[in-house]
Amino acid sequence: NMKSGTLTRDMKVKDSKGRISAIKEERLVSMADPHQGAVRYSITPENYEGLIVIRTGLDGAVRNSGVARYSQLNNKHLKGFEFGSFAKNGIYLSCITSQSKINIAMASKLRVFDGSKEKRPASNVYIKERGAVYRYFEMNVKRNRKYVIEKTVSTYTSKDKGVRRPKSSSISAVKKVHRYESLLRAHEKA
């Protein structure tokens, strides 16, 4: 939606067991606060109920390998990874750029709602590999009931004015965000 500055996708997915889920995804990067971004998923199990697993992550192990003529160059631009968790629903990743030595930190939190009621699903942190951190949430779902999953992300660097500790700034900022809707309202006003 160009007017609101958001990306929305609707899809239906079917897994190998024939379970069908209707999923609506909404994304934004805030114009009111360029350090904030968020994604909201609405998931409706159409023909099943039971346990689902939600995986959320921050991946700093990305490579710049999309252009063939640059394939001989170093495509790993980040190093010095530090990652972990905070609260019961947050994770962070901090790293340094290889050449310019800029510290970059991202923090995210995930909230799950059943109607207007927040659920607190069981979770654990799993580190896939160097440079990425993931958190898994498990929850029981019911057929034809909509569940909303909100992920908020905050990113800071050592180049940001007045920021001495990007990791602390990222964690602090993401903790302050209440709901996707509050970020969306501020974003649309900006």
Side-chain angles (χ1 to χ4, degrees):
N1 181 332
M2 296 301 282
K3 185 175 180 175
S4 67
T6 58
L7 173 66
T8 302
R9 296 190 300 179
D10 289 293
M11 63 192 104
K12 284 196 183 197
V13 295
K14 183 177 182 179
D15 70 10
S16 61
K17 295 179 181 177
R19 296 177 295 197
I20 299 171
S21 300
I23 301 172
K24 179 178 184 177
E25 176 192 16
E26 302 164 90
R27 295 182 185 201
L28 69 89
V29 175
S30 178
M31 293 299 289
D33 181 352
H35 297 284
Q36 301 284 351
V39 61
R40 174 171 56 188
Y41 291 97
S42 300
I43 300 174
T44 305
E46 291 192 345
N47 65 347
Y48 68 96
E49 50 188 53
L51 187 70
I52 66 169
V53 177
I54 301 160
R55 182 177 97 158
T56 181
L58 298 171
D59 188 353
V62 294
R63 292 175 181 241
N64 189 7
S65 58
V67 179
R69 71 176 178 260
Y70 298 136
S71 64
Q72 300 301 315
L73 300 174
N74 180 9
N75 62 10
K76 292 168 75 176
H77 301 289
L78 304 174
K79 64 180 185 176
F81 294 100
E82 176 190 346
F83 34 76
S85 63
F86 60 93
K88 292 189 180 194
N89 63 346
I91 54 177
Y92 68 86
L93 181 146
S94 180
C95 57
I96 300 168
T97 58
S98 300
Q99 292 186 351
S100 55
K101 309 297 185 225
I102 298 168
N103 186 307
I104 302 169
M106 297 178 281
S108 72
K109 71 177 180 180
L110 192 86
R111 296 178 72 192
V112 180
F113 298 88
D114 179 355
S116 62
K117 184 179 177 186
E118 184 169 6
K119 294 182 69 83
R120 304 231 186 255
S123 73
N124 64 350
V125 173
Y126 170 72
I127 299 168
K128 179 182 171 191
E129 61 184 42
R130 187 171 181 223
V133 60
Y134 298 94
R135 178 164 261 179
Y136 291 82
F137 293 86
E138 295 180 347
M139 62 187 249
N140 283 303
V141 295
K142 296 185 177 172
R143 179 188 309 239
N144 292 319
R145 190 168 187 152
K146 182 168 81 170
Y147 299 88
V148 176
I149 300 159
E150 297 182 355
K151 177 180 180 179
T152 309
V153 178
S154 182
T155 305
Y156 281 85
T157 76
S158 55
K159 297 285 276 183
D160 290 320
K161 193 171 186 167
V163 174
R164 291 185 187 173
R165 296 185 313 265
K167 180 177 82 174
S168 298
S169 296
S170 293
I171 292 171
S172 176
V174 83
K175 283 181 174 180
K176 292 176 186 172
V177 176
H178 180 60
R179 294 283 312 261
Y180 179 93
E181 208 56 47
S182 62
L183 271 181
L184 178 62
R185 280 192 303 273
H187 167 73
E188 289 176 333
K189 286 180 184 176

